[in-house]
Amino acid sequence: MSNNSSREIRKNINNLRNLIPGKSLFIGAALFGLIAGALLISGFIGSRSGNSLFCLLTAVKNGDGAAASGHSPTPIQLQAILHYATSRVVPLLTLGEVTVSYDVLKTRAPCNFLVFGLGHDSLMWTSLNPRGKTVFLEDDPKWFQTVLKDSPYLKAHMVKYRTQVSQADDLLSSYRSERLCSPSDAYLRGNSRCRLALENLPDEVYETEWDLIMIDAPIGYFAEAPGRMGAIFSAAVMARNRKGSGVTHVFLHNVDRKVEKAFADEFLCRKYLVKAVGRLWHFEIPSVANNASVAGSNAVTFC
């Protein structure tokens, strides 16, 4: 990357500050910088290509498919830069919380990234995992259509949850009485006996080994809401059952709430918590197959 290209990106970020007032200005410009930084780190924008960032953005605006060929940025990366550079609507996560996941993606992308929930950050997550697989799970059909209408590049599935927040205490106290919820026997697809298992997800979810899992949905702030109990449990099962090398990175948002914190302590384990920023916790969970210290066939608890 030439110094001229780097200076041009910084100049354009500064120019965009005149377009987005207040807090949205700061976060929007920061996200623009993160995504542009991802392009720089990945080597997608370099002096060899002869294209500046904004030349490529112009090509995308004009429908020039050549901008996404070879080692150029992917179309969704360029769409993300345009979106966050000019939109007043920004993710609910703080910049610090976003950076926790971004730092992992810098070292793991392209990778398999599963995200519970569609939102204003979905375009960002996909753009930060260029040429990887980023899949979103959403349970609100109206919101599903709204997000995909504006961002048709996203890969997302509609899902249904069978729990409610009001059931959280009972689910936490009773799951050990069901053998198919135990860490040694738990599985997901078709596991209707374990109420915490997400048993009816798209096949793609079960057939992919996920490197990163972000839990920022479903809604969990009132009694009738689905809550994140099943998502947290299922993320733990996926991580423990990993066959490939390395750990599974699990990010859980809204840990300031009682349910999220209690289920994280039970299934994701404080001993695997590596970073906490704001309301986001980052866990690195080893698999049973690849780590002798993880309790396997005789495990009574997840932690």
Side-chain angles (χ1 to χ4, degrees), residues 83-97:
H83 172 77
Y84 292 116
T86 59
S87 176
R88 295 172 184 265
V89 180
V90 295
L92 295 178
L93 276 73
T94 67
L95 180 59
E97 291 168 345

Side-chain angles (χ1 to χ4, degrees), residues 14 59 91 149 153 157 221 243 255:
N14 290 329
K149 180 181 178 182
Y153 285 113
H157 299 285
Y221 58 85
K243 304 303 181 187
V255 294

Side-chain angles (χ1 to χ4, degrees), residues 4-303:
N4 289 337
S5 297
S6 298
R7 283 195 297 270
E8 182 180 4
I9 289 176
R10 289 195 295 269
K11 177 181 177 181
N12 286 320
I13 291 175
N14 290 329
N15 290 339
L16 289 167
R17 291 175 179 169
N18 296 323
L19 301 177
I20 313 170
K23 183 179 179 181
S24 295
L25 174 150
F26 172 75
I27 298 177
L31 293 176
F32 177 96
L34 280 178
I35 297 167
L39 297 177
L40 298 177
I41 292 168
S42 302
F44 295 144
I45 302 176
S47 58
R48 288 177 298 175
S49 68
N51 290 323
S52 72
L53 175 63
F54 270 69
C55 286
L56 291 166
L57 292 178
T58 301
V60 169
K61 277 185 174 181
N62 295 333
D64 184 358
S69 64
H71 295 287
S72 299
T74 63
I76 201 162
Q77 286 180 308
L78 300 175
Q79 182 189 2
I81 291 175
L82 286 171
H83 172 77
Y84 292 116
T86 59
S87 176
R88 295 172 184 265
V89 180
V90 295
L92 295 178
L93 276 73
T94 67
L95 180 59
E97 291 168 345
V98 170
T99 302
V100 173
S101 305
Y102 170 64
D103 286 343
V104 176
L105 282 166
K106 281 193 299 184
T107 62
R108 295 299 297 270
C111 63
N112 296 326
F113 188 9
L114 179 65
V115 183
F116 285 87
L118 279 169
H120 299 305
D121 54 2
S122 299
L123 191 58
M124 173 188 68
W125 293 132
T126 300
S127 70
L128 292 176
N129 186 28
R131 298 171 177 83
K133 176 190 283 190
T134 305
V135 175
F136 301 89
L137 304 178
E138 176 59 47
D139 66 311
D140 184 332
K142 290 184 178 179
W143 182 239
F144 183 89
Q145 294 297 330
T146 297
V147 174
L148 291 187
K149 180 181 178 182
D150 294 333
S151 302
Y153 285 113
L154 298 177
K155 187 167 190 178
H157 299 285
M158 277 293 303
V159 296
K160 292 183 179 181
Y161 298 97
R162 51 177 173 158
T163 59
Q164 291 187 345
V165 172
S166 60
Q167 302 167 338
D169 289 342
D170 177 60
L171 289 168
L172 195 59
S173 63
S174 65
Y175 85 91
R176 294 185 190 181
S177 64
E178 172 51 61
R179 180 180 63 83
L180 295 184
C181 286
S182 69
S184 57
D185 294 310
Y187 62 95
L188 299 181
R189 179 157 45 188
N191 187 359
S192 59
R193 287 174 52 183
C194 178
R195 291 189 293 161
L196 285 170
L198 299 182
E199 90 292 2
N200 196 29
L201 298 177
D203 289 341
E204 178 181 32
V205 178
Y206 301 125
E207 293 167 2
T208 301
E209 195 156 86
W210 301 102
D211 303 301
L212 281 74
I213 302 174
M214 169 70 73
I215 305 172
D216 200 13
I219 292 173
Y221 58 85
F222 58 93
E224 294 77 21
R228 299 177 187 173
M229 301 83 70
I232 293 170
F233 173 86
S234 297
V237 172
M238 291 179 191
R240 289 175 58 86
N241 292 342
R242 181 183 179 88
K243 304 303 181 187
S245 61
V247 299
T248 302
H249 297 268
V250 178
F251 306 92
L252 175 63
H253 196 224
N254 296 120
V255 294
D256 55 317
R257 299 196 299 225
K258 175 185 174 182
V259 170
E260 278 80 355
K261 183 173 291 185
F263 276 74
D265 286 342
E266 184 72 17
F267 299 112
L268 302 181
C269 312
R270 286 292 181 113
K271 63 184 177 181
Y272 300 138
L273 178 64
V274 295
K275 197 161 190 177
V277 175
R279 297 181 297 157
L280 184 84
W281 282 356
H282 171 205
F283 299 84
E284 293 183 358
I285 303 179
S287 68
V288 173
N290 296 315
N291 194 312
S293 66
V294 180
S297 59
N298 297 319
V300 177
T301 65
F302 280 77
C303 300

